[in-house]
Amino acid sequence: MTSSLSNRISEAVGPFGVMGAFMQPQGHVQVIMNCLDFALNPQAALDAPRWQWIEGKTVEIEHQLPEHIAQDLARRGHDIKWALGSLNQRNAGLD
């Protein structure tokens, strides 16, 4: 697992990390987005439903993601695949 350190104006805020091979950089971005854009605390940001870009316009999403978001992505031309289980655990070989 590669960990990251978040900073705020040259001051360390805290370390974080997600497992997941190909999913790992995407997971890091999603955790930071959840904290900054949606004001989630770190645990809630880690627990939030994930999505994973596969290739082209194919996006795999976890079942906890609201249906209206999947429908909106499909209307915008994305090929939506529903993940079996947790993307984080699957990509880390834990499922």
Side-chain angles (χ1 to χ4, degrees):
M1 179 168 79
T2 302
S3 58
S4 295
L5 182 64
S6 55
N7 296 301
R8 181 180 302 132
I9 311 173
S10 72
E11 178 183 329
V13 175
F16 71 96
V18 299
M19 298 188 299
F22 180 67
M23 177 62 190
Q24 191 170 44
Q26 296 179 62
H28 279 166
V29 168
Q30 291 172 48
V31 169
I32 289 295
M33 283 176 43
N34 286 334
C35 289
L36 298 177
D37 296 338
F38 303 111
L40 297 181
N41 68 52
Q43 187 61 58
L46 289 166
D47 292 342
R50 306 252 174 117
W51 49 267
Q52 180 179 355
W53 171 79
I54 304 298
E55 65 179 344
K57 288 192 170 193
T58 302
V59 178
E60 190 170 22
I61 58 178
E62 292 183 341
H63 283 276
Q64 297 84 356
L65 197 79
E67 177 74 26
H68 74 275
I69 293 175
Q71 291 172 354
D72 188 44
L73 288 169
R75 276 193 298 276
R76 295 170 187 242
H78 293 280
D79 179 25
I80 302 302
K81 305 289 184 197
W82 290 96
L84 299 175
S86 164
L87 290 172
N88 192 41
Q89 289 180 354
R90 186 191 65 216
N91 287 305
L94 298 175
D95 65 347

